[in-house]
mmCIF file of all heavy atoms in Angstrom:
data_model
loop_
_atom_site.group_PDB
_atom_site.id
_atom_site.type_symbol
_atom_site.label_atom_id
_atom_site.label_comp_id
_atom_site.label_asym_id
_atom_site.label_seq_id
_atom_site.Cartn_x
_atom_site.Cartn_y
_atom_site.Cartn_z
ATOM 1 N N PHE A 12 -0.306 -12.281 13.258
ATOM 2 C CA PHE A 12 0.136 -10.888 13.318
ATOM 3 C C PHE A 12 -0.488 -10.141 14.499
ATOM 4 O O PHE A 12 -0.959 -9.021 14.371
ATOM 5 C CB PHE A 12 -0.148 -10.144 12.014
ATOM 6 C CG PHE A 12 0.584 -10.715 10.829
ATOM 7 C CD1 PHE A 12 -0.097 -11.077 9.694
ATOM 8 C CD2 PHE A 12 1.951 -10.886 10.865
ATOM 9 C CE1 PHE A 12 0.572 -11.601 8.594
ATOM 10 C CE2 PHE A 12 2.634 -11.407 9.783
ATOM 11 C CZ PHE A 12 1.947 -11.764 8.644
ATOM 12 N N SER A 13 -0.477 -10.780 15.642
ATOM 13 C CA SER A 13 -1.003 -10.169 16.856
ATOM 14 C C SER A 13 -0.275 -8.861 17.147
ATOM 15 O O SER A 13 0.938 -8.755 16.983
ATOM 16 C CB SER A 13 -0.819 -11.136 18.030
ATOM 17 O OG SER A 13 -1.071 -10.480 19.240
ATOM 18 N N VAL A 14 -1.030 -7.874 17.586
ATOM 19 C CA VAL A 14 -0.450 -6.562 17.891
ATOM 20 C C VAL A 14 0.644 -6.694 18.937
ATOM 21 O O VAL A 14 1.667 -6.039 18.875
ATOM 22 C CB VAL A 14 -1.548 -5.588 18.396
ATOM 23 C CG1 VAL A 14 -0.955 -4.273 18.840
ATOM 24 C CG2 VAL A 14 -2.597 -5.379 17.333
ATOM 25 N N SER A 16 2.606 -9.277 19.556
ATOM 26 C CA SER A 16 3.759 -10.129 19.289
ATOM 27 C C SER A 16 4.413 -9.922 17.936
ATOM 28 O O SER A 16 5.423 -10.539 17.664
ATOM 29 C CB SER A 16 3.345 -11.590 19.413
ATOM 30 O OG SER A 16 2.466 -11.917 18.354
ATOM 31 N N CYS A 17 3.863 -9.061 17.084
ATOM 32 C CA CYS A 17 4.392 -9.023 15.729
ATOM 33 C C CYS A 17 4.420 -7.608 15.148
ATOM 34 O O CYS A 17 3.383 -6.960 15.025
ATOM 35 C CB CYS A 17 3.568 -9.939 14.839
ATOM 36 S SG CYS A 17 4.297 -10.170 13.235
ATOM 37 N N THR A 18 5.601 -7.168 14.775
ATOM 38 C CA THR A 18 5.729 -5.856 14.152
ATOM 39 C C THR A 18 5.368 -5.900 12.674
ATOM 40 O O THR A 18 5.233 -4.861 12.041
ATOM 41 C CB THR A 18 7.166 -5.319 14.295
ATOM 42 O OG1 THR A 18 8.056 -6.283 13.739
ATOM 43 C CG2 THR A 18 7.520 -5.073 15.748
ATOM 44 N N ALA A 19 5.199 -7.092 12.134
ATOM 45 C CA ALA A 19 4.845 -7.220 10.714
ATOM 46 C C ALA A 19 3.536 -6.511 10.405
ATOM 47 O O ALA A 19 3.322 -6.055 9.290
ATOM 48 C CB ALA A 19 4.743 -8.693 10.325
ATOM 49 N N ARG A 20 2.687 -6.393 11.385
ATOM 50 C CA ARG A 20 1.395 -5.736 11.174
ATOM 51 C C ARG A 20 1.572 -4.299 10.688
ATOM 52 O O ARG A 20 0.914 -3.858 9.767
ATOM 53 C CB ARG A 20 0.626 -5.764 12.492
ATOM 54 C CG ARG A 20 -0.826 -5.667 12.314
ATOM 55 C CD ARG A 20 -1.498 -5.900 13.635
ATOM 56 N NE ARG A 20 -2.821 -6.384 13.316
ATOM 57 C CZ ARG A 20 -3.758 -6.561 14.180
ATOM 58 N NH1 ARG A 20 -3.543 -6.351 15.440
ATOM 59 N NH2 ARG A 20 -4.936 -6.975 13.808
ATOM 60 N N ARG A 21 2.479 -3.575 11.319
ATOM 61 C CA ARG A 21 2.720 -2.177 10.927
ATOM 62 C C ARG A 21 3.351 -2.110 9.542
ATOM 63 O O ARG A 21 3.034 -1.249 8.742
ATOM 64 C CB ARG A 21 3.603 -1.482 11.977
ATOM 65 C CG ARG A 21 3.884 -0.042 11.656
ATOM 66 C CD ARG A 21 2.608 0.817 11.674
ATOM 67 N NE ARG A 21 2.916 2.109 11.116
ATOM 68 C CZ ARG A 21 2.370 2.620 10.018
ATOM 69 N NH1 ARG A 21 1.433 1.954 9.377
ATOM 70 N NH2 ARG A 21 2.711 3.786 9.575
ATOM 71 N N VAL A 22 4.276 -3.036 9.266
ATOM 72 C CA VAL A 22 4.906 -3.063 7.948
ATOM 73 C C VAL A 22 3.857 -3.348 6.883
ATOM 74 O O VAL A 22 3.857 -2.739 5.813
ATOM 75 C CB VAL A 22 6.045 -4.105 7.908
ATOM 76 C CG1 VAL A 22 6.602 -4.258 6.503
ATOM 77 C CG2 VAL A 22 7.150 -3.706 8.884
ATOM 78 N N LEU A 23 2.940 -4.255 7.169
ATOM 79 C CA LEU A 23 1.869 -4.550 6.221
ATOM 80 C C LEU A 23 0.998 -3.330 5.972
ATOM 81 O O LEU A 23 0.522 -3.121 4.862
ATOM 82 C CB LEU A 23 1.014 -5.713 6.718
ATOM 83 C CG LEU A 23 1.636 -7.087 6.534
ATOM 84 C CD1 LEU A 23 0.799 -8.150 7.242
ATOM 85 C CD2 LEU A 23 1.801 -7.421 5.071
ATOM 86 N N GLU A 24 0.790 -2.510 6.993
ATOM 87 C CA GLU A 24 0.019 -1.284 6.802
ATOM 88 C C GLU A 24 0.703 -0.371 5.788
ATOM 89 O O GLU A 24 0.043 0.273 4.981
ATOM 90 C CB GLU A 24 -0.150 -0.541 8.130
ATOM 91 C CG GLU A 24 -1.125 -1.192 9.071
ATOM 92 C CD GLU A 24 -1.219 -0.457 10.399
ATOM 93 O OE1 GLU A 24 -0.784 0.711 10.490
ATOM 94 O OE2 GLU A 24 -1.721 -1.063 11.355
ATOM 95 N N ILE A 25 2.024 -0.335 5.817
ATOM 96 C CA ILE A 25 2.770 0.525 4.897
ATOM 97 C C ILE A 25 2.676 -0.024 3.480
ATOM 98 O O ILE A 25 2.280 0.683 2.556
ATOM 99 C CB ILE A 25 4.249 0.642 5.321
ATOM 100 C CG1 ILE A 25 4.375 1.344 6.674
ATOM 101 C CG2 ILE A 25 5.059 1.386 4.249
ATOM 102 C CD1 ILE A 25 5.740 1.223 7.307
ATOM 103 N N VAL A 26 3.044 -1.290 3.303
ATOM 104 C CA VAL A 26 3.125 -1.829 1.947
ATOM 105 C C VAL A 26 1.767 -2.150 1.351
ATOM 106 O O VAL A 26 1.663 -2.370 0.149
ATOM 107 C CB VAL A 26 4.062 -3.062 1.846
ATOM 108 C CG1 VAL A 26 5.474 -2.685 2.240
ATOM 109 C CG2 VAL A 26 3.553 -4.218 2.671
#
Side-chain angles (χ1 to χ4, degrees):
F12 298 126
S13 168
V14 175
S16 68
C17 190
T18 56
R20 204 172 205 188
R21 181 65 191 118
V22 174
L23 283 172
E24 287 178 17
I25 295 167
V26 299

